[in-house]
Amino acid sequence: MDSVTQTAPASTPASSSGPSASAPRDALLLRVEGMHCGGCAGKVRRTLEAQPGVQGAEVDHVTGRAAVRLQDPTEPAASRLADALGQAGYPAAPWAQAEEPVAVDAGASEAAPAGRPDEKSRPAGGGHLDLAIEGMTCASCVASVEQALRAVPGVAGASVNLANRRARVTLERPVEAAALERAVAGAGYRARALEAGARDTAAESTAERRRLRRDLLTLGVAGALTLPLVAQMLLPLFGIQAMLPALVQLALAAPVQFWAGARFYRAAWPALKRGRGNMDLLVALGTSAAFGLSLVLTLDAGAAMLSWHGPHLYYEAAAAVVTLVLLGRVLEERARQRTSAAVRALLALKPEVAHVERDGAWLDVPAAELAFGDRIAVRPGERVPADCMVREGESQADESLLTGESLPVDKAPGDALVTGSINGSGLLVAEVTATGEATRLARIVRLVEGAQASKPPVQKLVDRISAIFVPAVVAVALATFAGWLLAGASLSTAVLYAVAVLVIACPCALGLATPAAIMVGMGVAARRGVLIKDSAALEAARHLDTVVFDKTGTLTLGRPSLVETVSLESGGESELLRRVASAQQGSEHPLAAAIRDAAAEAGLAAAQPARFQALAGRGIEAEVEGRPLLAGTRRLMAERGVAVDSLEEAAGRLERRGLTVVWVALDGAAAGLLALGDALRDGAADAVTALQTRGLEVVLLTGDNRRAADAVATDAGIPRVVAEVLPEEKAEEIARLQAEGRRVAMVGDGVNDAPALARAELGIAMGEGSDVALETAPVALMRAEPRLVAEAVDLARAIHRKIGENLFWAFFYNAVAIPFAALGYLSPIVAGAAMALSSVFVLGNALLLNRYRSKAVKTAGERA
């Protein structure tokens, strides 16, 4: 181990050993059929890794390929592994030599053949494509971009986020990214396709800082030119009746109007050509009207153009509005950058350099060049460059930014390390299991960004209002102008009040209200270990009144162990355990794993079953050494007509202890029992109490026997138990609760509970960031901590409240400000300042979510 520290140089030029997109050199490639999702890929991977001689496997369900790393690369294992996958329900065959291998490390959604064309010209086939959009300023811009994208053939839908200036386009068939970019350009905006896995946070931050510096320079010049125009309005307060000469005012105001304010004209013209309005159109119309009126009065002044006592002009109104709007944009941009800080922090977790062993030497190479199967060294205090498995050394890892868990996690050989976690005091040597877009960190980032791009149901109302907002404001401004003229006001007065209406209206606040709260809230939730993957979950969380927990792996540890064996066989308990362990060779169920482990610890040699069939929710049927065997629930015994009276007394005794009983039959007759125990998770009872204090009823739903379920429910403090239900019946139980008028959240492990998770108003998958836990339910918990359920509900409700507050402010502001301006109570300068501050207020209110602290966290902290 010391040699790693001594031989790994401080820095090394980029290695040419091969990009991460290539499979390991000694990997066995298999083509696998029947995979439809990440859950399927996880099952295939676990099946492969359970086979003798397999060190690790990486599976891509999109390309249908599995790369298997063998302990002995020369072993002809392809047929054996293909047979194992076939028994698991996934037909497989060796990858044909003529086939071009596809990249497994490029990520499940982006894997492609080596030597593929440039991403820019590649059709985006199915799924979705993300675009960066430039030039949007308000909710009307969002509607214009969405309309342009949806008009492209092959586009099933488009969702545009004003807060992060991103568009997510859902595709029903292959579409050229260039076609989407042209459509956005035709709407008057600029678009750039974002390549998955190519996010360069440093480059993005640099570009944002450069843009902000440019805007600050423009604002500074505009402010310097506007200040004398506004200052002259204060002279009467000091008894001075004078104004800057008209030509001087024109010279000061013109650069502000046509240089600093040029962006408003550039953005307004394309929208106007398409018959749509936006915020820039309102500003351009309002300031142009004030500037135009002042210019006419200047030309009429004749010789008085140079007089200090010329006619009253309104250049200051036009210049002040442009400057104030620019100020608002700068403040908005700074606040907007903070809203995306969570994703930026996640993306920055991955280190740039990795210490990797190549040909017996330790080298420093770019982390992007790591490949599946590489051996890497992680020194004390360094971040882990890829998902990997510890092979040598012991240490602790800080995974707080990924899981929300503040305490370091002990790591030893066989434990997993996740990308971005920080190694503690020990030196670790690990084997890479996933890189690039296939890592857990990359999946979390994709899920958070996807959630930030989604729109809650309430946004549909905002979108409808935004579509007519600008035309309605222009109509109100025209009515204001006509009304004041009819009331006998001067032309200049009517123009000024109409200008005030145009510049005080703020569709920006409407457009930012929802996405700003979602972006900040989803980021806060991700930092706490809660992935809210769909903004519709926020609405569901608001109305919940019942939370249903699965038992195994959710309230309990999910790591059962054999506690007692009861045998009626002549061979005794050891022989019964050996036969059941032999039959369970093809099962992935946690109980099966516990039985196999118990047999291995007892030194019992398991036989290969001649036949095996998993019976969902009931058990297994197999043939071991010529004898038919059944192992499973009491229901399975009843279905097969097995008399179990001789075992009832022992079963009752074991079940009253809260143990799960596996009934065993050989040759159609009762043969014995295996009793397994699974400890309650720390914090399970606290989690139930926390939910009950929030007025939520808690229910335990399990396929386990009634006595074992009641024992766990008693320990956890759950008053209502539904036991002995099959996986497919769990969804029916959820539906039964809903028929009682309840709004239900289902908490499960994301595998057997998938139907129930989908049936509930809110599905919460509790795992530790596994593929299934991340992809099954709208909400996924990054660590198996029951207390996170209450926090997830609190967070979702807090985000929804913040959306409501922002929308209320945006609607209230416009509903009050526009009539006030129309009635002449607000000057254009005041109107411009109010408009600029309204957007900043919405963003600032959203950022307050960063200070959120749930009652669940406080309770846990107080206990600690």
Side-chain angles (χ1 to χ4, degrees):
M1 288 296 294
D2 294 337
S3 62
V4 174
T5 305
Q6 294 166 359
T7 61
S11 62
T12 302
S15 168
S16 60
S17 59
S20 64
S22 62
R25 291 169 288 278
D26 56 354
L28 170 66
L29 303 182
L30 298 174
R31 177 177 291 285
V32 185
E33 300 178 6
M35 295 190 295
H36 305 291
C37 64
C40 297
K43 185 174 181 180
V44 169
R45 177 180 55 77
R46 290 190 295 273
T47 301
L48 289 170
E49 292 178 344
Q51 303 307 309
V54 174
Q55 282 189 334
E58 187 161 337
V59 181
D60 183 355
H61 70 275
V62 175
T63 60
R65 195 186 81 157
V68 186
R69 186 175 177 84
L70 301 171
Q71 293 175 354
D72 180 5
T74 63
E75 179 194 356
S79 297
R80 175 170 59 84
L81 297 179
D83 290 342
L85 290 178
Q87 291 183 14
Y90 299 93
W95 193 280
Q97 293 300 317
E99 294 180 89
E100 180 71 24
V102 284
V104 292
D105 290 319
S109 62
E110 293 299 319
R116 67 185 178 182
D118 185 82
E119 189 76 22
K120 187 77 169 180
S121 61
R122 181 179 65 86
H128 67 263
L129 182 68
D130 291 336
L131 302 171
I133 310 294
E134 297 181 19
M136 294 190 301
T137 56
C138 67
S140 298
C141 300
V142 169
S144 296
V145 174
E146 288 181 343
Q147 183 184 52
L149 289 171
R150 288 170 183 154
V152 177
V155 172
S159 177
V160 176
N161 188 318
L162 178 62
N164 64 2
R165 298 192 183 101
R166 296 287 167 86
R168 172 152 292 188
V169 184
T170 305
L171 305 169
E172 57 187 17
R173 60 180 174 82
V175 176
E176 290 282 355
L180 301 175
E181 294 173 357
R182 286 194 299 270
V184 174
Y189 306 91
R190 295 175 300 282
R192 174 175 53 87
L194 295 173
E195 299 180 19
R199 290 287 301 275
D200 187 340
T201 55
E204 288 184 8
S205 299
T206 300
E208 288 177 353
R209 287 194 297 269
R210 187 182 301 115
R211 184 167 55 245
L212 187 57
R213 283 197 299 268
R214 185 171 61 247
D215 290 346
L216 283 171
L217 175 62
T218 303
L219 174 63
V221 174
L225 294 173
T226 302
L227 185 60
L229 295 171
V230 175
Q232 68 176 343
M233 308 302 298
L234 303 177
L235 293 178
L237 297 177
F238 301 98
I240 303 173
Q241 300 300 323
M243 299 182 67
L244 292 173
L247 283 181
V248 175
Q249 292 189 50
L250 175 60
L252 291 171
V256 177
Q257 184 70 34
F258 300 110
W259 174 71
R263 64 182 63 194
F264 303 121
Y265 294 102
R266 285 195 300 266
W269 177 241
L272 194 59
K273 284 196 300 183
R274 293 176 60 90
R276 302 185 69 92
N278 57 20
M279 184 67 226
D280 299 286
L281 177 62
L282 297 181
V283 174
L285 286 176
T287 58
S288 296
F291 186 90
L293 174 61
S294 300
L295 182 61
V296 170
L297 294 176
T298 298
L299 296 176
D300 285 345
M305 288 184 188
L306 298 174
S307 171
W308 285 80
H309 300 282
H312 182 78
L313 305 174
Y314 304 98
Y315 288 118
E316 81 285 345
V321 167
V322 169
T323 302
L324 288 169
V325 173
L326 290 176
L327 173 62
R329 294 278 171 88
V330 168
L331 296 175
E332 183 181 313
E333 181 64 28
R334 297 188 66 164
R336 194 196 308 268
Q337 290 178 19
R338 290 180 60 195
T339 64
S340 59
V343 171
R344 203 186 311 275
L346 287 172
L347 288 168
L349 290 179
K350 184 177 178 179
E352 297 294 326
V353 176
H355 314 303
V356 63
E357 184 181 32
R358 295 279 167 80
D359 300 324
W362 289 94
L363 305 173
D364 282 6
V365 304
E369 294 187 4
L370 288 176
F372 173 65
D374 276 342
R375 278 171 58 87
I376 62 172
V378 186
R379 297 164 175 166
E382 289 184 335
R383 289 195 181 274
V384 178
D387 288 1
C388 50
M389 186 75 68
V390 177
R391 296 305 182 199
E392 301 176 25
E394 294 184 357
S395 186
Q396 310 83 36
D398 180 358
E399 301 176 349
S400 57
L401 278 177
L402 288 169
T403 65
E405 175 57 63
S406 58
L407 297 177
V409 181
D410 291 334
K411 299 295 179 182
D415 290 336
L417 291 171
V418 294
T419 306
S421 58
I422 303 174
N423 185 24
S425 57
L427 176 66
L428 297 176
V429 175
E431 181 179 329
V432 174
T433 57
T435 63
E437 290 298 287
T439 63
R440 180 179 168 192
L441 173 63
R443 294 199 302 272
I444 292 172
V445 170
R446 286 200 301 272
L447 289 169
V448 173
E449 289 185 325
Q452 291 177 340
S454 64
K455 292 185 178 183
V458 69
Q459 185 65 21
K460 295 178 181 178
L461 171 64
V462 178
D463 290 343
R464 287 197 296 269
I465 294 174
S466 299
I468 61 171
F469 185 88
V470 172
V473 170
V474 173
V476 171
L478 292 174
T480 300
F481 176 75
W484 280 100
L485 285 180
L486 292 175
S490 65
L491 176 64
S492 60
T493 299
V495 168
L496 283 181
Y497 292 159
V499 168
V501 170
L502 290 172
V503 298
I504 203 168
C506 191
C508 305
L510 284 174
L512 289 169
T514 299
I518 287 178
M519 285 190 66
V520 178
M522 301 298 190
V524 170
R527 289 200 300 271
R528 294 180 181 275
V530 178
L531 285 180
I532 302 174
K533 302 186 295 177
D534 186 349
S535 56
L538 306 176
E539 186 74 23
R542 178 187 177 196
H543 299 292
L544 290 178
D545 54 30
T546 304
V547 177
V548 177
F549 279 96
D550 173 50
K551 181 177 79 71
T552 304
T554 303
L555 285 178
T556 63
L557 292 173
R559 295 193 294 271
S561 58
L562 184 65
V563 176
E564 186 173 334
T565 303
V566 177
S567 177
L568 301 180
E569 283 287 291
S570 59
E573 297 175 355
S574 296
E575 180 62 16
L576 180 70
L577 175 59
R578 186 188 70 83
R579 287 187 178 276
V580 177
S582 299
Q584 298 278 16
Q585 292 300 307
S587 175
E588 295 185 15
H589 196 282
L591 296 182
I595 292 170
R596 291 196 300 268
D597 291 344
E601 290 176 6
L604 304 176
Q608 191 67 26
R611 178 172 53 86
F612 173 85
Q613 182 181 1
L615 306 172
R618 301 188 297 280
I620 63 163
E621 181 178 13
E623 183 179 331
V624 179
E625 298 174 336
R627 299 184 67 182
L629 180 147
L630 291 172
T633 63
R634 186 194 304 264
R635 175 184 292 192
L636 177 60
M637 301 295 117
E639 288 178 355
R640 299 304 174 89
V642 178
V644 295
D645 294 344
S646 58
L647 295 171
E648 287 288 0
E649 182 179 350
R653 173 178 56 82
L654 295 169
E655 289 174 349
R656 282 191 293 274
R657 291 168 55 190
L659 301 177
T660 298
V661 173
V662 176
W663 301 72
V664 184
L666 284 168
D667 301 320
L673 304 170
L674 300 179
L676 298 102
D678 190 8
L680 199 67
R681 288 187 183 277
D682 291 338
D686 293 337
V688 172
T689 300
L691 291 168
Q692 290 170 338
T693 58
R694 288 158 174 78
L696 300 171
E697 180 177 350
V698 181
V699 178
L700 178 63
L701 179 63
T702 178
D704 210 343
N705 67 77
R706 163 63 64 175
R707 289 168 178 162
D710 285 341
V712 170
T714 299
D715 291 343
I718 300 176
R720 183 171 177 176
V721 179
V722 181
E724 299 180 4
V725 293
L726 298 175
E728 59 269 24
E729 294 174 341
K730 288 186 177 182
E732 297 173 7
E733 294 296 334
I734 298 295
R736 192 169 290 115
L737 288 169
Q738 292 169 331
E740 298 175 7
R742 297 184 176 277
R743 301 292 184 91
V744 182
M746 172 68 194
V747 187
D749 62 9
V751 183
N752 295 328
D753 304 309
L757 289 169
R759 185 67 179 85
E761 275 82 6
L762 180 63
I764 302 176
M766 182 153 72
E768 299 191 61
S770 65
D771 287 339
V772 175
L774 290 175
E775 295 180 23
T776 302
V779 176
L781 308 182
M782 294 304 298
R783 64 182 190 274
E785 168 56 72
R787 275 191 292 252
L788 274 182
V789 176
E791 182 159 5
V793 173
D794 285 350
L795 277 164
R797 289 178 171 178
I799 297 169
H800 191 277
R801 279 197 305 273
K802 195 60 67 175
I803 291 173
E805 292 171 7
N806 279 353
L807 287 176
F808 171 81
W809 164 256
F811 282 117
F812 176 79
Y813 164 81
N814 283 290
V816 172
I818 292 175
F820 263 65
L823 294 173
Y825 293 113
L826 299 174
S827 70
I829 295 178
V830 174
M835 184 275 291
L837 292 176
S838 64
S839 298
V840 177
F841 176 87
V842 165
L843 284 167
N845 190 45
L847 287 169
L848 291 177
L849 281 169
N850 282 312
R851 302 171 61 183
Y852 166 82
R853 182 171 167 82
S854 77
K855 290 183 286 185
V857 173
K858 291 178 182 176
T859 303
E862 288 165 1
R863 284 192 199 90

